[in-house]
Amino acid sequence: MHNPWQDTTLPAETRAAELLSRMTLEEKLAQLVGIWPGSDAGEDDDADVAPMQSQINSTAPDLETLLADGLGQLTRPFGTAPVDPTERARSLADEQRRIAGANRFSIPAQVHEECLTGFAAWQAAVIPTPLAWGATFDPGLVERAARLIGDSMRSAGIHQGLAPVLDVLRDPRWGRTEETIGEDPYLVGTIGTGYVRGLEAAGIVATLKHFAGHAASRGARNHAPVSIGPRELADVALLPFEMALREGGARSVMSAYHDLDGVPASADAWLLTTLLREEWGFTGTVVSDYFAVSFLELTHQVAGSPGEAAGLALAAGIDVELPAQRCYGRPLLKAVQSGEVAEELVDRAVLRVLAQKAELGLLDPDWSPEPAALADGATVDLDPPAMREVARQLAEESVVLLANRDGTLPLAGTGRIAVAGPLADDVAPLLGCYTFPRHVGVRHADLPVGIELASAFAALRAELPGAEVTLAENAADTEGADVVVMVAGDRSGLFGRGTSGEGCDALDLDLPDGQGALLDELLDTGLPVVLVLLTGRPYALGRWADRLAGCVQAFFPGEEGGGAVAGVLSGRINPSGRLPVGVPRHAGGQPAPYLAPPLGRAGEASSVDPTPLHPFGHGLSYTSFAWDGAAADASTLDTDGATTVRLRVTNTGDRAGTEVVQLYLHDPVARVARPVNRLIGYARVDLEPGRSAEVAFRFHADLSAYTLAPGRRIVEPGALELRLGASSGDLGHTVALTLTGPERAVGTDRTLDCPATVRHLP
């Protein structure tokens, strides 16, 4: 006879409640904390992968001290140091047996890892960074990638992934720009939802971060305060989270480091409980960003002790302190025993944690720590062919052709090509800061990278065997070349150890490390110069706009990125990527997201023109497209009605290509200042030469809703314009609509997306 909490016929919450009722306070608190083995090995701030890691780790208890009461979480067993995947999967299974065997209820730990650009483990596949996901405008492909990532994590014994990042970029000087999907909430929401669906379909708990508004920090500084109004918070920062929860089914949310108008996000009961749970109906777990509970005491200074910090975070709605115990352990125990913190708050959090463990099968009577991948002596392969294939597709779809003067691109397969730039023959600019080689591997100088990578130079030389492709150290080395390809880029890192990445914020948007000076020298040779950018953010290109023969942008494109860029340069790949964030003209012209009201645009009131050189959604192709027939099935609809907007697209060029049709909403008159144009739909359209397709968008009036006042979102009658175009700056087709009927308040049941269908015409 099994215990009630092991009865798999009962709902997860019922099983969790049965178990909770039998636990001591110490056993309850043990489920709210974790350990991070190996994180203190270096005891060196320069090796930290989380802020203040070295200082805080000095107070963490060891495993033996914790095991008798149980353990909630096990932090990054693969992502903290280089380990052989198969050996670590076996040792993790042994650790789980030990953890479960040491407590009264045989409860194992829930194991989490980073997975922003793939499973962050040695020898694991590296897909492009999230900014590149945004450039694909392809949520289906991102979903497939996430499913494979989830499968690889499950094969190693992992239960939870700390991804995706749903912060909407507001200023690309922010070091974590590379981790965002872009500057538009609809793009971030739809692409992020695709990732969540894939990860959750694999049985991995997806964790949405960083909740919420983290990317809107003052001065684009990491951890800096956020000062945005309730409308911007609701209509920009919160929308992607709402989409990923409602439509993606994410089961976890991570609190953020910043404060929002003075209230730390990790102590914000309105954000983590009133909004997230009571209004949105979220029933999963809320975990802290690493050390965020401690930061309530140490950096925000809204608590005087670890116990006070624990009480604030628990009351706000944080269920689990990550990555290890500091506040939710003995300090919280004392606070509950003294009556300073109600035990009911502990019970609330533990119930959620245990219910999730029940969902994951960790409370089942037949639970086994052995992942299926280890059955019959098999090995764990974290970079299988299917994973490399989806990494290749993502990389190829994400490369953006920014400029192509006089048809310089694609390059001829013959002649002499000089490749220049300090990163041209380096694999670093292929990899974002949350890839294992850049996150952890840089601390192990003698460690093989663990995956097959080709630099831009090596990939181009392999791509064009009939051409003489040479490496040029400086402008003088380009003599005799027919064309110069300069590779400019970032080296990702953490907390100042790179030009892009967490804690690597930029003063301006000039090309880093003097690469702009080299570009000037190359252009002064008079040779045609093609600029290839392998970066984690957009950089200002205005000073070279009229001199470059071509320009290609890739955002840390991953293990197959070198080949993808080379394929675009050769013409083997017809580029289809579109900018998820605008490319500025001037290094100091930011922040200037396209999602701005009229006063946020160029005008006579200011001498500064924030207009980007290349706008959000921009991207060129090696073929041409014609659009016609834009119309709506109904031009008048109720404020709760819907219609279909149609457009015909024809490939008028001589090669197959992909057009990305973008649908924007323009509200001529609103009761608060609204963005001039706002993305509400998009579709990738693959066409052979001479062929046409009809693109149809299902528009619901809810998509015109906006926040009138805190907590009040409305759809109002009046005129609207739906604008279709190839970018936010190229909107050549307008469909006028009129909404009739009463003003209508909308809530969390409103329509959030504008589905598109593509019908190829005979």
Side-chain angles (χ1 to χ4, degrees), residues 135-138 397 576-577 658-661 682-686 758:
T136 70
F137 279 69
D138 193 344
E397 288 192 10
S576 62
T658 300
E659 180 70 299
V660 180
V661 177
Y682 57 85
R684 289 178 59 92
V685 186
D686 301 325
V758 177

Side-chain angles (χ1 to χ4, degrees), residues 371-397:
L374 293 181
D376 302 321
T379 58
V380 175
D381 183 359
L382 300 183
D383 191 19
M387 192 73 247
R388 288 202 75 99
E389 174 62 18
V390 81
R392 179 191 63 78
Q393 292 179 47
L394 273 170
E396 291 180 357
E397 288 192 10

